[in-house]
Amino acid sequence: MSKIAKVRARQLIDCKCRPMVEVDIVTEKGALGRGSAPTGSSVGMYESYVLRDGDPNEYDGLSVHKAVENVNNIIAPALIGQDIADQAAIDHIMIGLDGTPDKHVLGGNAIYSASIAAFRAAAEEAGMPLYEYIARGPIKSVPIPSFNVINGGRYPGVTQAFNEFIIMPYKADSIYEAVEIAVRVFQRLGTVIKNHTGKAPGVGGSYGWIAPSEDPDTVLSLMQEAIDECGYTKKCAFALDCASSEMYDAKSQTYYLNGQRLSSDEQIDYIKKLTEKRNFVFIEDMLDENDWDGYAKAHQRISRTLIIADDLTATNRERIERAYNANSIDGFILKPNQVGTITEALESHRYAEERGLLSITSGRSGGVIGDVVMDMAVGLGVGFIKNGCPRSGERIDKLNFLMRAASLNDGCVMSDISDMIRF
């Protein structure tokens, strides 16, 4: 392959109209790779740093001109002339230029965008889709998508402690049926909620329906009603992203849930009872990102679902290793922008895979069309992923990506995760 000839960055906006960095990398042979850095709404304290300008007169302080300048003036000169096929060398050059664990000098958003751009340029020069470049050949399956149909959080009159209420059509016959199930159930759920509350549901921060109740079990009951009415009772199960760090009070060491403050043990017991009543494929971030002891207890006590970490692990290999050694989790959410480079994200995936831990790729709430996590999900052959709600362009793009990949690869099927199911 050839060398990097040009690197150029700019400020664009994500799906929530927040500024983000986009980077183009062009090789000597003319291959173009483009990368951008979406950000999340629920952001853990151990994620790579998103460098913003802080100027209140532009996008309320969210502009990213400093990060763009860091790409154009610092990263670009260091990358020009580098072998486009050597992703690790490219990423470690940027890591060295920054010199901090969380990439706060140049900005994780600057480094990550350039890392994606290089990755895509290498695949373009190789003449293959990025997912095939990652897989080193044709793919045989696409992952099962899961759908955040009800959004928790703080809303007028309701504080639903759990962040994402998810349906997973894990027994669908194909990726096409899985997508149709999600669309039909989500649309039906709007009517079910209206019948329950007497008014049309609002749209949450992640484009799902706003939680109609503070009681998680009530929310799950409404979801089950929609699933049943659509005739998919035997094809769907649930998942949760609790995002419990958002509701954790460090001073009292308690979690807010349904009008009460719960200890770590009480939170574990509550979630255990939920899993005994309903079928969950996974539960994510059930405790605070620093509650290592709690995760170990939860993994011992809860057996009917997969215990998945996000804020606890932050796609960071050292944190995943600590969780593995403590036997605290069954897997982690793979969000490359959390750690800040493609190389580090792939190292985390490989470490987990070699030890029997799951990697579950996920986009961010401030998403983009053409998110690299979809190429990674398909190329790495993961069993299931998080897709968000079946609404809004960047989320629909992810679903179309899966269906398109399946169509373009003869014999490609949706993953079978029956050996992962705990209920």
Side-chain angles (χ1 to χ4, degrees):
M1 287 194 180
S2 63
K3 297 179 179 179
I4 294 174
K6 182 179 179 181
V7 181
R8 184 68 182 174
R10 62 189 66 86
Q11 174 177 287
L12 298 181
I13 57 174
D14 66 19
C15 73
K16 292 193 171 184
C17 293
R18 298 176 301 191
M20 69 177 183
V21 179
E22 182 181 76
V23 176
D24 289 349
I25 287 183
V26 181
T27 69
E28 292 173 329
K29 293 182 180 179
L32 168 65
R34 179 167 287 156
S36 55
T39 56
S41 292
S42 174
V43 178
M45 65 189 297
Y46 298 106
E47 297 191 26
S48 65
Y49 184 69
V50 177
L51 180 62
R52 298 194 183 274
D53 299 333
D55 179 359
N57 296 314
E58 185 174 359
Y59 285 101
D60 296 321
L62 298 179
S63 60
V64 292
H65 297 301
K66 292 177 183 176
V68 168
E69 291 171 3
N70 287 341
V71 175
N72 291 332
N73 299 331
I74 300 173
I75 291 175
L79 294 190
I80 290 173
Q82 295 297 315
D83 180 1
I84 192 60
D86 197 341
Q87 184 75 35
I90 291 167
D91 288 342
H92 284 292
I93 285 171
M94 294 189 285
I95 291 169
L97 285 171
D98 180 273
T100 63
D102 65 351
K103 302 175 177 62
H104 70 256
V105 173
L106 299 180
N109 46 340
I111 293 171
Y112 178 55
S113 299
S115 182
I116 299 170
F119 206 28
R120 289 201 179 282
E124 178 69 19
E125 189 154 298
M128 61 181 68
L130 180 55
Y131 63 79
E132 193 170 306
Y133 181 75
I134 296 168
R136 300 183 180 181
I139 60 166
K140 297 179 181 179
S141 66
V142 295
I144 299 172
S146 61
F147 303 91
N148 170 22
V149 294
I150 290 186
N151 300 167
R154 297 176 176 87
Y155 299 100
V158 173
T159 296
Q160 171 50 252
F162 295 160
N163 191 43
E164 298 180 4
F165 289 79
I166 298 166
I167 60 168
M168 180 179 289
Y170 75 109
K171 284 194 173 181
D173 294 331
S174 67
I175 183 60
Y176 310 105
E177 186 185 34
V179 171
E180 183 179 2
I181 288 172
V183 171
R184 292 188 64 199
V185 170
F186 176 68
Q187 292 173 350
R188 182 61 189 169
L189 182 57
T191 302
V192 170
I193 294 172
K194 182 178 180 181
N195 292 339
H196 175 75
T197 63
K199 58 183 179 181
V203 177
S206 294
Y207 306 114
W209 303 118
I210 289 176
S213 171
E214 294 202 1
D215 181 1
D217 193 52
T218 297
V219 174
L220 292 164
S221 293
L222 296 174
M223 292 167 62
Q224 188 66 61
E225 183 177 337
I227 291 168
D228 294 343
E229 289 183 4
C230 290
Y232 298 128
T233 305
K234 296 182 178 180
K235 295 199 173 190
C236 292
F238 296 117
L240 278 176
D241 175 4
C242 302
S244 290
S245 293
E246 300 290 324
M247 297 290 169
Y248 181 69
D249 177 67
K251 186 175 181 180
S252 65
Q253 296 185 333
T254 59
Y255 298 87
Y256 177 84
L257 178 62
N258 199 13
Q260 299 178 306
R261 303 295 317 185
L262 304 183
S263 68
S264 180
D265 284 341
E266 290 169 332
Q267 179 100 333
I268 293 168
D269 288 341
Y270 177 84
I271 291 172
K272 184 176 188 294
K273 290 177 182 176
L274 276 185
T275 66
E276 290 167 348
K277 184 176 182 179
R278 304 183 186 277
N279 293 333
F280 290 88
V281 176
F282 69 90
I283 295 183
E284 172 191 343
D285 277 358
M286 67 168 59
L287 298 167
D288 180 64
E289 59 201 334
N290 293 305
D291 194 352
W292 292 94
D293 291 340
Y295 268 96
K297 291 178 183 177
H299 201 223
Q300 290 173 352
R301 296 181 192 173
I302 299 174
S303 59
R304 290 193 80 246
T305 190
L306 297 164
I307 306 298
I308 303 299
D310 179 15
D311 292 343
L312 182 81
T313 46
T315 316
N316 181 291
R317 185 196 173 283
E318 292 181 358
R319 296 183 69 82
I320 295 167
E321 182 176 358
R322 179 176 175 182
Y324 171 76
N325 289 336
N327 192 25
S328 297
I329 60 172
D330 296 301
F332 76 102
I333 301 296
L334 177 61
K335 295 176 178 175
N337 80 306
Q338 285 182 323
V339 69
T341 65
I342 294 296
T343 297
E344 290 167 291
L346 291 176
E347 287 174 353
S348 294
H349 167 79
R350 283 192 290 267
Y351 176 87
E353 185 178 45
E354 290 167 359
R355 287 154 183 83
L357 297 178
L358 299 173
S359 298
I360 302 166
T361 58
S362 173
R364 305 308 299 261
S365 65
V368 293
I369 298 291
D371 195 331
V372 72
V373 300
M374 296 307 297
D375 285 282
M376 294 181 72
V378 173
L380 295 173
V382 303
F384 61 91
I385 57 178
K386 293 179 67 181
N387 276 85
C389 178
R391 169 165 44 196
S392 80
E394 76 293 340
R395 287 159 171 81
I396 300 303
D397 178 63
K398 290 177 170 63
L399 301 178
N400 287 339
F401 182 98
L402 294 176
M403 293 187 287
R404 186 181 301 115
S407 173
L408 291 173
N409 290 269
D410 292 340
C412 183
V413 299
M414 192 173 73
S415 295
D416 179 358
I417 63 168
S418 56
D419 60 338
M420 303 178 194
I421 298 300
R422 297 287 177 83
F423 50 82

